[in-house]
Amino acid sequence: MADRLLDGYDALLFDLDGTVYRGGQVIDGAADAVAAARAERTTVRFVTNNASRSPGQVAEHLTGLGVPATADEVSTSAQAAAAVLARRLEQGDHVLVLGTSALAAEITAVGLVPVRTATGVKAVVQGLSPDLSWNDLAEASVAIRAGALWVACNIDRTLPTERGLLPGNGSLVAALRHATELDPEVAGKPATPLMDESVRAADARHPLVVGDRLDTDIEGAVAAGLDSLLVLTGVSTAADAIAAGPEARPTYIAADLGAITAAAADLAIGPKPGWDLRTEGDEVVVTGDGDPLDLVRALCAVSWAALAPPRITGDHPVLAELGLTRAR
C-alpha cells in the first residue's frame, strides 16, 4: 500500500453533493484536496448523480466555489442515462424527459428527440428538476404503462443542501414505481453505467472513488470493483458504515477530503492504536482513548467480520458522540 492515499491511485473520482459542496457552500478542505491532486498530476474527475445541470454548469458552479473545473472533467448521470438510451433506441426516437433542459440537451446530443408528452414515445428518462409536476408524472405513467423503456438518472432518496436533506430524484422515482408497479433501469450510482463512463473518461487504470453516500458512491464503487473513500461530510454516518453490508463497504473512511494526503494505512479499515475492542458473544466492548475515527475504522473491521452486526457497548463518551450507543 502506498504511503499516502493520493500516491496509490492514478485518478480520483469525486462525488459532488455532500462531498465537495452542499448546495452553494463548499465543504471545508475540498478545494485544497482537489488542488493537491492536481499538483501531483493525478487525474481529477467530478462524478455526480445530479442530472439537473449540464457539465458546463457543474464546472461553473465548482469554479465559483473556489474549485476550478472544466466541463470535460465532469461526468453526470444525465450523460450516462443518454448513453443507455442511445444503445437501446433508434436514432430519432422520441424520449419523454422528466427533468431540466440540461437533461433534454443530453438526449438531443445522442441523436434522440426530447419531448414532454407521452404520445408516441419509445422511452422515459427521469432526472431531478425542481419544477417537476404531477402532470409530468402522469405523462410518464401513461408512457411506462404503454411499454416505454424507463431509465432513471439516479435513485438518490435525498439531496444534501445547505438547508439540509431535501427530496432527491429517487423520491420521485418511487412515486412512479408506486403508480406503475414497475422498476426503471438506473444509469447513475450505484448502477455501473455512470461509474464505467467516468473511469473511461479519466483513462484510469486504478482510480479511487470518493463520496459521502454508502448507498450510491460506495456501493457503486463495489459494483465496479473499485477502491473507495467514504467521507463523513454528507449523508452516511459512522454508524451507517459500521452496519454496512458487503455491497457497500468502503476501503477507507475519513472525516473529509483533506484525508487524501494522509497515509493510506491510517485511513484503512482495521485495528487501530489507542482502542481495545473485546468481543463477548454478540457484543463488542470498547475501551481506550484514541482518535474517534480510528475507533470507527476498528469497529467496521469487527462488525464486517461478524455474521451479524454486533451490539456495541462501553462507557466511553466517544461512542455517544458517534451515535453508536448511549453514554453511561
Side-chain angles (χ1 to χ4, degrees):
M1 184 177 287
D3 289 340
R4 296 187 311 165
L5 183 64
L6 185 59
D7 297 332
Y9 300 93
D10 60 354
L12 298 180
L13 310 182
F14 289 106
D15 174 59
L16 290 179
D17 293 302
T19 301
V20 175
Y21 57 65
R22 297 186 198 92
Q25 296 179 350
V26 68
I27 293 173
D28 289 346
D32 289 342
V34 173
R38 295 192 194 281
E40 297 292 330
R41 299 187 181 277
T42 302
T43 299
V44 169
R45 193 99 196 141
F46 301 104
V47 185
T48 177
N49 260 3
N50 192 329
S52 64
R53 292 172 173 163
S54 69
Q57 289 171 324
V58 172
E60 183 179 355
H61 182 60
L62 282 165
T63 301
L65 293 176
V67 185
T70 60
D72 61 2
E73 292 179 312
V74 178
S75 293
T76 73
S77 64
Q79 292 173 308
V84 169
L85 289 168
R87 290 193 294 267
R88 302 282 294 275
L89 303 178
E90 300 292 333
Q91 291 283 291
D93 280 348
H94 286 202
V95 177
L96 173 59
V97 174
L98 274 67
T100 65
S101 59
L103 176 55
E106 297 296 344
I107 298 303
T108 300
V110 297
L112 302 172
V113 179
V115 298
R116 297 290 180 174
T117 61
T119 305
V121 303
K122 294 296 181 66
V124 174
V125 63
Q126 184 172 5
L128 185 64
S129 169
D131 299 321
L132 198 69
S133 69
W134 180 90
N135 286 331
D136 295 316
L137 293 173
E139 290 295 315
S141 181
V142 169
I144 293 166
R145 284 184 171 278
L149 171 65
W150 179 21
V151 175
C153 292
N154 68 79
I155 51 173
D156 295 13
R157 290 173 297 152
T158 57
L159 177 69
T161 74
E162 62 270 33
R163 298 178 61 199
L165 295 178
L166 303 181
N169 192 52
S171 295
L172 299 169
V173 168
L176 275 181
R177 275 178 164 153
H178 193 65
T180 64
E181 299 182 327
L182 295 169
D183 292 316
E185 186 169 339
V186 180
K189 301 173 285 186
T192 56
L194 175 56
M195 199 66 75
D196 290 344
E197 168 59 23
S198 302
V199 173
R200 185 201 64 77
D203 193 24
R205 291 189 174 185
H206 190 41
L208 177 70
V209 175
V210 185
D212 71 297
R213 297 185 70 125
L214 293 169
D215 61 345
T216 56
D217 307 315
I218 307 308
E219 190 171 335
V222 173
L226 304 177
D227 287 354
S228 62
L229 167 66
L230 174 70
V231 290
L232 302 178
T233 52
V235 173
S236 294
T237 66
D240 294 332
I242 293 166
E247 75 287 348
R249 291 173 177 171
T251 315
Y252 311 98
I253 295 177
D256 54 42
L257 292 184
I260 67 165
T261 56
D266 291 346
L267 305 175
I269 305 304
K272 299 296 178 184
W275 293 107
D276 178 46
L277 276 58
R278 187 175 71 258
T279 302
E280 297 180 355
D282 63 351
E283 294 186 356
V284 175
V285 180
V286 175
T287 56
D289 191 22
D291 180 277
L293 275 183
D294 274 346
L295 175 58
V296 174
R297 298 173 186 117
L299 283 169
C300 282
V302 172
S303 179
W304 297 354
L307 295 177
R311 190 164 65 92
I312 300 166
T313 63
D315 59 3
H316 203 291
V318 169
L319 293 173
E321 291 172 12
L322 294 171
L324 302 177
T325 188
R326 295 179 182 176
R328 295 178 182 176

